[in-house]
């Protein structure tokens, strides 16, 4: 680690993070990161193979974070927007409190 290195400007960091989400994270969330049976995202993926780790629970807040990202990244009619719709329906099904 070079302690004398100057940090990148914030705009470069934001751009790099956006590219990382588009090229790495979103494809994983759309494929291995999705449980098609429950229509919910898996809690975590293995760092070596990218396959889902055994699901012991699903957290509404973790699902809501993905819904937020899907909602902002997807354009009307896109696969990401469709996934946002599907996830929203699942959140209502599994986590809503009718009282």
């Amino acid at each position: 680690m070079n302690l004398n290195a100057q940090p990148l400007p914030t705009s470069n960091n934001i751009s790099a993070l956006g590219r990382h989400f588009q090229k790495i994270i979103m494809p994983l969330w759309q494929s291995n990161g999705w449980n098609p049976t429950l229509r919910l995202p898996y809690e975590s993926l293995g760092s070596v193979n990218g396959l889902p780790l055994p699901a012991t629970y699903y957290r509404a807040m973790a699902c809501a974070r993905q819904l937020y990202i899907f909602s902002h990244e997807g354009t009307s009619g896109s696969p990401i927007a469709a996934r946002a719709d599907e996830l929203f329906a699942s959140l209502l099904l599994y986590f809503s409190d009718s009282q």
Side-chain angles (χ1 to χ4, degrees):
M1 181 163 101
N2 182 354
L3 297 178
N4 295 322
Q6 296 296 316
L8 294 173
T10 303
S11 61
N12 287 348
N13 289 336
I14 292 170
S15 294
L17 179 61
R19 286 189 304 277
H20 179 73
F21 255 88
Q22 288 296 321
K23 293 182 185 279
I24 306 295
I25 303 299
M26 293 299 285
L28 281 172
W29 282 359
Q30 290 282 6
S31 59
N32 294 347
W34 185 253
N35 181 334
T37 303
L38 295 178
R39 300 178 314 146
L40 292 170
Y42 283 106
E43 186 70 20
S44 57
L45 301 175
S47 61
V48 174
N49 58 13
L51 296 176
L53 297 176
T56 56
Y57 55 86
Y58 289 85
R59 296 178 301 144
M61 185 58 73
C63 295
R65 286 184 195 116
Q66 282 198 15
L67 176 59
Y68 177 83
I69 297 295
F70 289 153
S71 297
H72 284 277
E73 293 296 317
T75 57
S76 183
S78 72
I80 295 173
R83 181 58 48 86
D85 292 340
E86 187 177 12
L87 180 51
F88 183 69
S90 293
L91 281 167
L92 291 176
L93 176 68
Y94 293 114
F95 296 106
S96 70
D97 182 359
S98 61
Q99 295 178 348

